[in-house]
């Protein structure tokens, strides 16, 4: 989704403020590459499933926008 859809971070921050939610620090995502990869690879039967590294890199790019 992040590759084909523009993510409006201002809109997301507004939604979080309105709902009282807080953004995490993504430390688990960053620290558990192998575990996330293993879980991703267990998902079967998905047509045109991209390589894990490609998906991980896209998610990393989105996460980095929230950390600046």
């Amino acid at each position: 989704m992040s590759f084909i859809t523009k993510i409006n971070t201002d809109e997301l921050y507004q939604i979080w403020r309105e709902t009282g939610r807080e953004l995490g620090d993504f430390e688990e995502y960053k620290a558990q590459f192998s575990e996330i990869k293993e879980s991703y690879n267990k998902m079967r039967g998905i047509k045109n499933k991209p390589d894990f590294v490609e998906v991980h890199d896209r998610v990393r790019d989105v996460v980095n926008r929230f950390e600046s």
Side-chain angles (χ1 to χ4, degrees):
M1 287 286 283
S2 66
F3 188 68
I4 60 173
T5 302
K6 183 178 180 193
I7 296 174
N8 184 334
T9 54
D10 292 335
E11 185 177 342
L12 287 175
Y13 281 116
Q14 180 64 32
I15 291 168
W16 292 327
R17 277 192 298 274
E18 291 172 358
T19 60
R21 296 182 181 189
E22 293 183 21
L23 183 63
D25 61 12
F26 302 103
E27 288 305 315
E28 296 296 321
Y29 170 78
K30 294 181 221 170
Q32 296 187 5
F33 179 90
S34 297
E35 292 86 348
I36 295 169
K37 181 178 181 180
E38 181 179 340
S39 296
Y40 181 82
N41 288 335
K42 286 182 181 179
M43 294 189 291
R44 305 266 189 247
I46 300 171
K47 293 182 182 179
N48 301 317
K49 180 178 157 185
D51 180 69
F52 173 74
V53 172
E54 183 179 347
V55 173
H56 189 273
D57 288 351
R58 288 182 189 172
V59 172
R60 182 202 60 222
D61 292 345
V62 172
V63 166
N64 285 342
R65 286 193 244 169
F66 293 107
E67 294 190 317
S68 42

